[in-house]
Amino acid sequence: MEETLVVVKRGNHIESEHTGSIAVVDWQGNLLYRVGDVSRMTFTRSALKPIQTIPLVQSGAADRFLMNDKEIAICCGSHNGEEQHTQVVNSMLFRIGLQEEHLQCGAHPPYSQERYLELVQKQIKPSPIHNNCSGKHTGMLALAMHLESDIDSYHRMEHPVQQKVLESLLELAELPEEQVITGIDGCGVPNFGIPLSKLAYVFARLAHPEEIQPPSLKQAIKRITQAMVQYPEMVSGANEFCTEAMQITKGRVLAKGGAEGVYCLGLMEKGIGIAIKVTDGNWRSAYPAAVEVLKQMGELAPLEEVALQAFHTPVIQNRKGEHVGKVEPVFQLKTEGNRGN
Amino acid sequence: MEETLVVVKRGNHIESEHTGSIAVVDWQGNLLYRVGDVSRMTFTRSALKPIQTIPLVQSGAADRFLMNDKEIAICCGSHNGEEQHTQVVNSMLFRIGLQEEHLQCGAHPPYSQERYLELVQKQIKPSPIHNNCSGKHTGMLALAMHLESDIDSYHRMEHPVQQKVLESLLELAELPEEQVITGIDGCGVPNFGIPLSKLAYVFARLAHPEEIQPPSLKQAIKRITQAMVQYPEMVSGANEFCTEAMQITKGRVLAKGGAEGVYCLGLMEKGIGIAIKVTDGNWRSAYPAAVEVLKQMGELAPLEEVALQAFHTPVIQNRKGEHVGKVEPVFQLKTEGNRGN
């Protein structure tokens, strides 16, 4: 059963509650802490992006197209559609010899409200380049080119690009294909669901790939995670949680969220992975829960905790900016020996 | 305990779930059906608006300022900020001799995306008139003028306007003040929380006020509910659920939602009230749950059910408009004798 992760208070009264599950697993596969139901099948959504980038790097496609670490980072990102993001994606597209029209992700307004309003004022319609997944799709196109496979159907499950993504996930999660569920993500490519504890395990292995074979896979993982923590602004954007979490912890923490209340963290020095799923899919409680896990594990220095406070216990304001409530994590991480709690 | 009201599927797999509680009560106070915990203390949020409008009408303030039914309806509304809405609010403000600057609701972009983009293109900053509560606040200002009380502090709990709102709620809910919780709403005025079954009872009495004393209260309620079902476009706006639900059922159903997953319905011919609270506060499951309750109670004709389908079982699309999932109600209304289910 899921447990209450976070409460939302108006004045002193609880108005709403978010339940969910949390798994904390080390690189050897030990379940260190749990909340709720860690065996819950969980669509990985955009938390899959670092894994979706593995075949691009491991195959040599990234090197062939002279992709730098900033570009690798945006392939793993759910970016804000800021100028800095669309520039990097455009530059990659140019280098692989393709255009925006080849992106199969569809269009949505940039997550950056500032950029969106700028487009509206200039009467520019949002296009696939502004889609938060345009970096990932460009990476997939580069891989399709490298594999000399069809570039118009790279988003289909049967395409070699998606087959290689699935292989990478199965390898890292140590799961047979029959134990993976499949759906179509918001950006049109296949997304996979695995048990929550396995998702935490995948992030533990991303954080500590030293024992992973073959060396090409280990090296690809190292390059990807280093790119993400070195260019966290490519993973999300200004004032966003993924970006701030990696910046504030100076890259000790790998951070990547996904739609429907999925949040994953990797402790780079310790080889520990954390996976959170909010049952109702609301992002509102995912960030508070993520910071709370780090705090309970003693992974945040006091100043880091202060710097993350606005994500940890957000204040609810009314339309005049007065404080009328707050969001508060209420769960307690349990060790396996403490299951009955 | 709350129960699962609605599931969100990606492909054939459940990705997220929304729990909640539902109470169905008649005008005599009988609990006809329940789901989850109907004694749950529930902030009424914008479902309080018809009640917040009672003192305006009952005191004679609405008549004094020559308010028509369209204007009464927008006082009960969470409007979209469309041209048709801001025109009505501006006209009311003019007639009571006040300006937009007297509204204490704060500003937010119009809910209508079309109107919002129009403002951005014209470089007009959203102002309090666009706030979805600007009708209600104008009504409160009219009442403050009528009572010859201070017009700058009408939003404070100790002000006669808010005291009269509280009195109306206590009267309709048949609750002592000690059993009501208080918080500040998003628009800056006090909001009250009562048990969910009492909220359903309040809507039953709105739908069937015949036995309510004094006559001035009964008449005020009749005028308010008639205004809402006659001008449903003032209660919300184009393509919005409250508006469509009242239009499609030709006013047999009174419909008003509130923030944080609150939804209330009144069956006008039967004097039955329905109150729904989604535990996590997400609107995504409130409309499907509301339609499902009406359906299970046999209150929808086949063509009405078809017309409400997009609210009942919404399709989830990816950014290219392909269907990748759906939202589905899964609860079953239980009678009291069926409590063990």
Side-chain angles (χ1 to χ4, degrees), chain A residues 10 16 104 184 260 320, chain B residues 10 16 104 184 260 320:
Chain A
R10 184 158 300 269
S16 298
Q104 298 284 352
I184 304 299
E260 292 292 331
K320 294 174 78 179
Chain B
R10 183 158 300 270
S16 298
Q104 297 285 353
I184 304 299
E260 293 291 332
K320 293 174 80 179

Side-chain angles (χ1 to χ4, degrees), chain B residues 26 34-35 97 119 121-122 152 184 187 247 261-262 296 298 341:
Chain B
D26 69 16
R34 52 171 284 280
V35 176
L119 295 185
Q121 279 169 348
K122 293 181 178 168
D152 296 326
I184 304 299
C187 67
Q247 274 170 349
V262 170
Q296 289 189 24
N341 258 13

Side-chain angles (χ1 to χ4, degrees), chain B residues 123-242:
Chain B
Q123 307 208 26
I124 298 171
K125 225 178 134 182
S127 64
I129 200 89
H130 302 107
N131 187 309
N132 76 89
C133 305
S134 66
K136 177 181 79 177
H137 278 251
T138 302
M140 288 177 171
L141 276 169
L143 179 57
M145 296 279 284
H146 182 68
L147 298 174
E148 296 180 0
S149 55
D150 182 55
I151 58 161
D152 296 326
S153 61
Y154 73 87
H155 56 303
R156 302 281 176 216
M157 189 62 236
E158 59 277 12
H159 193 281
V161 165
Q162 304 307 331
Q163 288 296 319
K164 284 186 178 292
V165 168
L166 177 58
E167 275 167 35
S168 299
L169 178 66
L170 297 178
E171 176 67 34
L172 285 189
E174 290 178 346
L175 274 176
E177 191 173 340
E178 313 82 72
Q179 289 179 30
V180 170
I181 58 172
T182 304
I184 304 299
D185 210 337
C187 67
V189 301
N191 192 262
F192 307 112
I194 60 178
L196 190 68
S197 57
K198 283 290 187 181
L199 183 52
Y201 179 50
V202 167
F203 269 74
R205 300 189 84 194
L206 290 179
H208 181 93
E210 272 68 17
E211 331 289 318
I212 292 178
Q213 291 296 337
S216 63
L217 177 56
K218 176 174 69 179
Q219 290 309 324
I221 291 171
K222 283 193 167 185
R223 182 157 184 216
I224 287 165
T225 56
Q226 285 308 315
M228 288 173 71
V229 299
Q230 201 181 344
Y231 296 99
E233 71 278 12
M234 290 291 117
V235 177
S236 189
N239 307 315
E240 296 288 342
F241 179 63
C242 293

Side-chain angles (χ1 to χ4, degrees), chain A residues 105-122:
Chain A
C105 50
H108 67 74
Y111 286 167
S112 158
Q113 202 58 12
E114 205 180 319
R115 185 78 191 277
Y116 179 38
L117 298 185
E118 190 192 315
L119 295 185
V120 172
Q121 280 169 348
K122 292 182 179 167

Side-chain angles (χ1 to χ4, degrees), chain A residues 10 13 15-18 43 45 104-105 108 116 181 184 186 260 277 279-280 284 318-320, chain B residues 10 13 15-18 45 104-105 108 117 181 184 186 260 277 279-280 284 318-320:
Chain A
R10 184 158 300 269
H13 307 283
E15 181 167 26
S16 298
E17 292 181 45
H18 298 277
F43 274 114
R45 306 301 299 272
Q104 298 284 352
C105 50
H108 67 74
Y116 179 38
I181 59 173
I184 304 299
E260 292 292 331
K277 167 70 183 181
T279 312
D280 58 75
R284 175 166 69 174
N318 66 15
R319 301 297 188 172
K320 294 174 78 179
Chain B
R10 183 158 300 270
H13 307 283
E15 179 167 26
S16 298
E17 292 181 45
H18 298 277
R45 307 302 300 272
Q104 297 285 353
C105 51
H108 66 74
L117 299 186
I181 58 172
I184 304 299
E260 293 291 332
K277 166 72 184 181
T279 312
D280 58 76
R284 174 167 68 175
N318 66 15
R319 301 297 188 173
K320 293 174 80 179

